[in-house]
Amino acid sequence: MSVVLWICGTILSVSAFLAIIRLVRGPSILERVIATDVLLLIVSAALSLEMTVNKHTNNLVFVVLACLVGFIGSVTVSRYVTDRRNA
């Protein structure tokens, strides 16, 4: 189980690092929003991994809230950009 934990932790760390790079560099606002959404999903996955390893569900509310914030934020920004392009 510890090998799987290290592999998953490494994958999540590398993907979080790459998402932060895209968040900093990413030329348009849409790419930054997508990078933020990906970062929120990585945090949710890390919390889920931690809950699985320690066999508890204390962080389940935070996982659901992170997913909701990511979804609502992405929809809001995409709607704003769509309205802005039509004007």
Side-chain angles (χ1 to χ4, degrees):
M1 183 69 169
S2 65
V3 173
V4 174
L5 177 65
W6 278 102
I7 291 171
C8 290
T10 304
I11 290 172
L12 288 174
S13 299
V14 169
S15 58
F17 179 71
L18 293 174
I20 290 172
I21 288 174
R22 177 50 59 191
L23 185 65
V24 171
R25 291 182 64 195
S28 70
I29 188 73
L30 291 177
E31 289 184 9
R32 288 188 170 116
V33 168
I34 290 172
T36 304
D37 193 32
V38 167
L39 200 56
L40 279 170
L41 290 174
I42 291 169
V43 168
S44 297
L47 286 173
S48 299
L49 181 66
E50 189 270 330
M51 286 189 299
T52 303
V53 168
N54 293 329
K55 297 179 178 150
H56 64 82
T57 58
N58 296 341
N59 297 332
L60 191 60
V61 173
F62 297 121
V63 171
V64 171
L65 284 176
C67 291
L68 282 174
V69 166
F71 174 74
I72 292 172
S74 297
V75 169
T76 303
V77 170
S78 66
R79 202 169 265 244
Y80 170 74
V81 170
T82 302
D83 289 343
R84 192 172 176 196
R85 286 185 182 171
N86 290 336

